[in-house]
Amino acid sequence: MGTRSEHTSEHRRVCIQGGELDTLLTGEGEPVLVIPTAVNPYELAPLARLLADTERYRVVQYRRRGSGGSSHVQLGGTIAEEAADAAAILRELGMGRAHVVGASYSSAIALELAEARPDLVHTLTVYEPPPTYTPNAAEFRSRNADLLEQEQAIGAVETLHAFERALDGPEWRTEIERLVPGSVAAIDAEADLFFAHDIPALLAWEFDADRAGRIPCPVLCLRGTTSGPWFQQSTGLLAQWLPEARTVVIEGADHSACLNRAADVAAAILDFMTEHPIG
């Protein structure tokens, strides 16, 4: 017998300015917007499924512009435009305020949305935001510049494969396919999106203490212990700027924890959202 969330899953094409986004709604209850991250559009799918399976939340996932069946993305796009698309989804679905979840690249979109549209974000959860605003941002930017050079030399797909091997080891394909079948094909299909849109949009994104201070909702900052200093800094600095934020550290988790430690991430998010229901 299937779970309740499987019985209540629904695909929709949601209209946004200049196009449509392929959207999946799962479960019933308070709305939760799970913003897809870069590289692997399925990376947050296990987490979203666990949130929906509680039968307390209506979980919204979508494919960003240029991803899957969603409309084409224009080069030169920004994180602010991505946040506007997320806001349009909530508006078009008539959901009003929602719990918002982002990880890595999509944490930037979630933070942008929470500042720009506080009327739509009831709680905000971010897992290891990109370190573009930390003291070591230059090192992060330099590494991304190296990736762009490598992409020009050997192509987008081969560069991403090398990146994944460095991040998750030589068996990365087997592991992510075990967790979410179809991930490798999706990564390959969207490699050009990552290099042509996502990296430039992220490196142009500016965030600081003043912007963080304009986020009024409860915030949960998550990180793992094995992700390295970049993400320790990005999560720690955000928590410093938001003194009321809750920080949860997941022992042994890495930067891909929403995929490979989804149960632990979901448990922390569920505790947080339960304490801040949408009344």
Side-chain angles (χ1 to χ4, degrees):
M1 179 179 296
T3 65
R4 177 180 173 88
S5 66
E6 288 172 341
H7 287 304
T8 57
S9 294
E10 176 187 2
H11 280 277
R12 292 193 194 177
R13 300 281 296 175
V14 176
C15 293
I16 55 171
Q17 183 175 359
E20 294 180 326
L21 298 182
D22 188 14
T23 304
L24 175 66
L25 297 90
T26 312
E28 297 292 341
E30 298 179 13
V32 180
L33 180 66
V34 177
I35 302 177
T37 193
V39 181
N40 182 0
Y42 299 145
E43 185 165 335
L44 274 62
L47 171 63
R49 184 168 56 248
L50 289 169
L51 299 179
D53 281 349
T54 64
E55 303 185 7
R56 302 201 306 267
Y57 298 104
R58 180 74 159 161
V59 179
V60 182
Q61 302 174 77
Y62 65 97
R63 302 293 289 269
R64 300 184 297 124
R65 293 185 196 240
S67 175
S70 293
S71 295
H72 181 70
V73 67
Q74 297 293 325
L75 296 184
T78 65
I79 296 296
E81 290 170 347
E82 296 241 37
D85 285 348
I89 288 176
L90 294 175
R91 182 182 66 247
E92 292 299 316
L93 294 176
M95 289 187 160
R97 297 175 67 81
H99 304 283
V100 174
V101 179
S104 191
Y105 177 88
S106 69
S107 288
I109 302 171
L111 287 163
E112 186 79 23
L113 177 63
E115 184 206 354
R117 294 298 306 271
D119 57 310
L120 296 178
V121 182
H122 184 73
T123 68
L124 173 66
T125 296
V126 290
Y127 187 88
E128 297 188 345
T132 57
Y133 53 82
T134 67
N136 285 343
E139 181 182 348
F140 176 76
R141 293 176 183 277
S142 176
R143 176 58 181 135
N144 278 274
D146 291 343
L147 283 175
L148 291 174
E149 288 185 6
Q150 187 175 0
E151 185 265 341
Q152 290 295 312
I154 65 174
V157 171
E158 288 303 317
T159 302
L160 267 189
H161 285 191
F163 175 77
E164 288 289 345
R165 284 194 298 272
L167 188 67
D168 295 321
E171 301 300 321
W172 68 272
R173 291 182 183 86
T174 302
E175 179 64 11
I176 66 172
E177 284 295 309
R178 179 183 67 83
L179 295 167
V180 184
S183 289
V184 173
I187 289 172
D188 290 355
E190 299 183 13
D192 288 335
L193 177 68
F194 179 65
F195 290 102
H197 174 274
D198 298 347
I199 289 181
L202 181 59
L203 296 183
W205 180 61
E206 296 182 355
F207 193 74
D208 56 23
D210 288 340
R211 297 196 69 195
R214 292 195 288 270
I215 296 175
C217 65
V219 178
L220 174 64
C221 299
L222 295 171
R223 71 170 177 87
T225 57
T226 66
S227 298
W230 283 354
F231 301 107
Q232 291 180 12
Q233 285 189 359
S234 65
T235 306
L237 190 55
L238 183 60
Q240 179 182 322
W241 290 341
L242 296 166
E244 300 301 318
R246 175 187 299 180
T247 299
V248 174
V249 179
I250 301 175
E251 186 66 33
D254 60 19
H255 194 55
S256 301
C258 292
L259 180 64
N260 58 33
R261 296 282 296 274
D264 294 322
V265 176
I269 296 174
L270 288 168
D271 284 345
F272 176 63
M273 294 193 302
T274 299
E275 288 190 12
H276 301 282
I278 300 175

